[in-house]
Amino acid sequence: MTPADIEFLARFLKDRSGLAIGEEKRYLLESRLAPIVRRTGLASLSALVARLRSGVDSTLAQDVVEAMTTNESFFFRDGTPFTQFTDVILPQLMAARATTRSLRIWCAACSTGQEPYSLAMLLADRAAQLAGWKVEIVATDLSNEVLERARSGLFTQFEVQRGLPIRLLLKHFTQEGDRWRIAPKLREMAQFRTLNLLRDFAPLGRFDVVFCRNVLIYFDEATKADVLARIARQTAPDGFLLLGAAETVLGARSPFRPHASHRGLFVPTPALGAAAPASAARFAVAR
């Protein structure tokens, strides 16, 4: 690839996915895009860039974006956010929503579904306390391929061994050959949608909890600030945001601020996180 090819790809990926990539990531571009070159019968990476420049192949454009997007995920990843969800967030929101008895949770960049399914298992194990409540888990990603895998609820032996306690595996999964499929009642709790965080997500409605973990680290500062500001507009004033272990909000004027008592947990900054209309769609918590 020429420097002009790399410059085009960097701009293309920034515009399509927010991914910030420079000359130093040339090896990553080559390793991840080479299989697409072989699969499509193109002569080289430069030929792939030329086809992208032409703008005539939307499928190829989506394939390139998906190939460059990191889809690392595993059950109960990092542990602490899920402990905070059950010990801090859920009790506070159940007290605050005692009248409406409804909760909305958004898993942004959900990849193959381990995060929303981890939450579904935690909620299912608390079905007695949540009896009569309506809970919706909206899980989004820009990759159609990983969303199809997430919807299937089918995981390899390697995937279920990463972070999933054996007790929950046996309780909520059924073995199918050398794979494991999560129970239908838990699949029904998560609604998977294609969504690019760079595009408008106001139609999703307002959420009580937003998981946006290990995503912002791939954006430049301006994109990160824009995404956080728009997430704040979709977060209830008394809602919560959870980021990845290496991520934080931006500066004193951020629309989110760290929780006073729990590191890694963020809440809307007063007067900056404007409310958006709540969606009418709801899914009953598994019983």
Side-chain angles (χ1 to χ4, degrees):
M1 285 191 297
T2 67
D5 290 339
I6 295 174
E7 182 181 352
F8 171 81
L9 285 171
R11 187 170 62 254
F12 173 86
L13 291 167
K14 174 71 162 52
D15 292 343
R16 295 293 185 104
S17 69
L19 182 64
I21 194 163
E23 172 70 32
E24 73 281 1
K25 295 292 181 68
R26 180 188 182 114
Y27 74 94
L28 191 62
L29 288 167
E30 293 175 342
S31 64
R32 293 196 179 181
L33 298 183
I36 296 178
V37 170
R38 291 192 294 270
R39 186 172 70 246
T40 55
L42 292 167
S44 64
L45 286 168
S46 290
L48 181 147
V49 170
R51 190 159 184 81
L52 289 176
R53 286 181 186 274
S54 72
V56 300
D57 195 334
S58 59
T59 299
L60 179 65
Q62 180 66 19
D63 287 347
V64 167
V65 171
E66 293 192 10
M68 293 304 303
T69 304
T70 300
N71 291 308
E72 172 75 357
S73 184
F74 51 91
F75 291 101
F76 299 100
R77 184 176 183 179
D78 300 330
T80 298
F82 298 97
T83 301
Q84 290 175 335
F85 177 75
T86 55
D87 294 353
V88 180
I89 296 172
L90 200 54
Q92 288 190 28
L93 289 178
M94 288 184 69
R97 308 289 187 270
T99 301
T100 60
R101 298 173 75 81
S102 66
L103 291 172
R104 300 192 77 227
I105 303 164
W106 178 20
C107 293
C110 68
S111 188
T112 44
Q114 286 93 324
E115 182 177 83
Y117 286 139
S118 294
L119 292 170
M121 284 183 268
L122 294 176
L123 292 165
D125 284 354
R126 288 157 180 78
Q129 298 119 283
L130 290 165
W133 283 70
K134 299 294 183 180
V135 178
E136 182 182 5
I137 302 174
V138 177
T140 65
D141 201 281
L142 61 75
S143 171
N144 292 315
E145 180 181 352
V146 300
L147 286 173
E148 283 305 308
R149 290 186 56 202
R151 290 187 187 101
S152 75
L154 190 62
F155 298 94
T156 66
Q157 185 71 39
F158 174 73
E159 287 169 330
V160 297
Q161 287 176 336
R162 299 186 75 194
L164 183 63
I166 187 66
R167 174 184 67 85
L168 296 180
L169 174 65
L170 297 177
K171 181 176 182 179
H172 296 298
F173 290 74
T174 301
Q175 190 165 14
E176 297 183 6
D178 59 352
R179 300 194 173 201
W180 295 81
R181 193 182 300 275
I182 198 165
K185 66 179 182 180
L186 296 186
R187 292 208 304 276
E188 292 168 3
M189 290 175 64
Q191 181 181 358
F192 293 97
R193 302 185 191 180
T194 304
L195 179 74
N196 188 329
L197 288 175
L198 300 190
R199 309 295 179 247
D200 180 27
F201 46 71
L204 291 179
R206 189 175 71 177
F207 292 93
D208 303 296
V209 188
V210 178
F211 283 74
C212 186
R213 303 196 302 138
N214 306 302
V215 181
L216 299 181
I217 54 174
Y218 298 106
F219 297 163
D220 62 24
E221 294 302 302
T223 304
K224 188 185 303 183
D226 172 65
V227 171
L228 281 171
R230 290 186 292 115
I231 289 176
R233 290 196 287 271
Q234 306 307 125
T235 305
D238 60 345
F240 298 87
L241 169 69
L242 297 98
L243 300 177
E247 297 170 320
T248 187
V249 294
L250 302 167
R253 293 187 58 79
S254 171
F256 289 96
R257 57 188 170 86
H259 191 283
S261 306
H262 300 279
R263 185 176 181 179
L265 190 59
F266 301 90
V267 295
T269 301
L272 290 178
S279 167
R282 293 289 186 268
F283 286 82
V285 68
R287 290 174 174 77

